[in-house]
């Protein structure tokens, strides 16, 4: 159960560590797709007869995907570093007022 916001007491909060992981993975995939597309983009006119991916472009597509994935990952990581509040504990973002804070209280263990 996420804690309430420390400023407005809203229960609508988002764990920024989880959001950072999802953002980095998504940016890596999107950057990889853009990099592969740029590396294999056709410079000539588009022919309707070409329906298969040319295997000769596969190494270039892999290198483009790798480079694009790395740059997408770095961009997402740097953006989240700006959002994360300083300190220790779990970082939270309030979806109502937009403030960020860290919860230093450990979660309660459920009764078994």
């Amino acid at each position: 159960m996420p804690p309430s916001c420390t400023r407005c007491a809203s229960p609508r909060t988002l764990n920024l560590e989880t959001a950072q992981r999802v953002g980095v993975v998504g940016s890596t995939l999107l950057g990889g797709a853009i990099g592969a597309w740029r590396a294999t983009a056709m410079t000539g006119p588009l022919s309707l007869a070409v329906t298969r991916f040319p295997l000769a472009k596969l190494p270039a597509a892999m290198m483009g995907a790798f480079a694009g994935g790395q740059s997408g990952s770095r961009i997402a990581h740097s953006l989240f570093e700006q959002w994360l509040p300083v300190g220790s504990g779990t970082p939270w973002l309030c979806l109502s007022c937009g403030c960020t804070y860290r919860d230093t209280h450990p979660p309660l263990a459920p009764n078994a």
Side-chain angles (χ1 to χ4, degrees), residues 55-68:
L55 292 179
K57 290 188 175 185
L58 187 61
M62 294 299 291
M63 288 187 295
F66 182 73

Side-chain angles (χ1 to χ4, degrees), residues 45-64:
L46 181 62
S47 172
L48 295 178
V50 179
T51 58
R52 296 185 330 182
F53 182 79
L55 292 179
K57 290 188 175 185
L58 187 61
M62 294 299 291
M63 288 187 295

Side-chain angles (χ1 to χ4, degrees), residues 3 11 13-14 17 22 26-27 31 34 36 42-43 46 51 54-55 58 61-62 70 80-81 84-85 100 105-106:
T13 56
L14 175 68
E17 287 178 344
V22 170
S27 295
I34 290 172
M42 295 175 53
T43 57
L46 181 62
T51 58
L55 292 179
L58 187 61
M62 294 299 291
Q70 282 185 336
F80 273 99
E81 285 297 317
L84 293 177
T100 57
H105 301 294

Side-chain angles (χ1 to χ4, degrees), residues 1-85:
M1 184 87 184
S4 298
C5 177
T6 57
R7 186 160 66 175
C8 70
S10 172
R12 295 178 42 199
T13 56
L14 175 68
N15 184 336
L16 283 177
E17 287 178 344
T18 303
Q20 181 180 16
R21 288 185 195 119
V22 170
V24 168
V25 168
S27 295
T28 302
L29 292 174
L30 184 61
I34 290 172
W37 178 74
R38 283 184 179 171
T40 59
M42 295 175 53
T43 57
L46 181 62
S47 172
L48 295 178
V50 179
T51 58
R52 296 185 330 182
F53 182 79
L55 292 179
K57 290 188 175 185
L58 187 61
M62 294 299 291
M63 288 187 295
F66 182 73
Q70 282 185 336
S71 62
S73 172
R74 280 192 300 253
I75 290 170
H77 185 69
S78 67
L79 288 175
F80 273 99
E81 285 297 317
Q82 295 174 3
W83 280 2
L84 293 177

